[in-house]
Amino acid sequence: MTPNRPYLLRAFYEWIVDNDCTPYLVVDAEYPETRVPQQFVQNGQIVLNLAPSAVAQMQMGNEVISCSARFGGHPFALHIPVRAVLAIYAKENGAGTVFTLEDDEGFEQEPSLEPAAPAKADSKSELQSKTPAKKKGHLTVIK
């Protein structure tokens, strides 16, 4: 299946706007191909106001979010890979969601046509010890 992040982003965006709130996007500004105004980046992240009144020509695709916005009175064309989005939330009440690295895990690999080999472990604990631990993501909200 395809990653669900772009679908969730669009759904949360519409839900936030439909409830007359301001959608804020937290973006990893250091993610490859991300174009955001670097003078507003703090700790590698930027928080963007994506309210319909704050941006123009917004397109939320499955791979990229693009729009134009003004920063300090100057227009800027934003280009945000969907995988660079760390969170979306409503400014007024914080309602929204945080995305983790695990959400995209395994989608960059080509699907295999061969069935996976069965595990040859004698016990459940052996299987668990061979399973790599998932890394926890973290998010710092900067206001």
Side-chain angles (χ1 to χ4, degrees), residues 1 4 6 28 59 62 64 79 103 106 111 119 128 131:
M1 292 185 67
N4 63 10
D28 177 355
Q59 294 186 357
N62 286 348
V64 173
H79 180 89
D103 292 337
Q128 288 173 339
T131 305

Side-chain angles (χ1 to χ4, degrees), residues 6-131:
Y7 302 94
L8 292 173
L9 274 169
R10 287 189 291 268
F12 271 99
Y13 179 84
E14 288 182 28
W15 175 65
I16 291 167
V17 171
D18 285 352
N19 284 281
D20 296 322
C21 291
T22 309
Y24 274 20
L25 210 63
V26 181
V27 176
D28 177 355
E30 297 171 353
Y31 192 87
E33 299 182 26
T34 301
R35 287 193 305 267
V36 295
Q38 292 299 308
Q39 65 269 33
F40 298 100
V41 172
Q42 294 181 349
N43 298 321
Q45 298 177 354
I46 187 167
V47 178
L48 301 170
N49 173 353
L50 290 187
S53 61
V55 297
Q57 302 168 339
M58 180 144 90
Q59 294 186 357
M60 295 182 89
N62 286 348
E63 299 293 325
V64 173
I65 298 169
S66 63
C67 62
S68 57
R70 298 185 80 71
F71 294 87
H74 301 286
F76 193 94
L78 297 169
H79 180 89
I80 305 157
V82 169
R83 288 185 172 189
V85 177
L86 302 173
I88 184 169
Y89 66 95
K91 172 189 172 189
E92 291 77 5
N93 60 15
T97 192
V98 175
F99 298 101
T100 63
L101 294 175
E102 289 85 15
D103 292 337
D104 290 330
E105 203 169 82
F107 287 109
E108 290 184 16
Q109 299 174 0
E110 290 293 321
S112 173
L113 296 177
E114 297 180 23
K120 296 182 180 177
D122 293 331
S123 69
K124 186 177 177 181
S125 62
E126 278 186 45
L127 278 174
Q128 288 173 339
S129 67
K130 292 181 182 180
T131 305

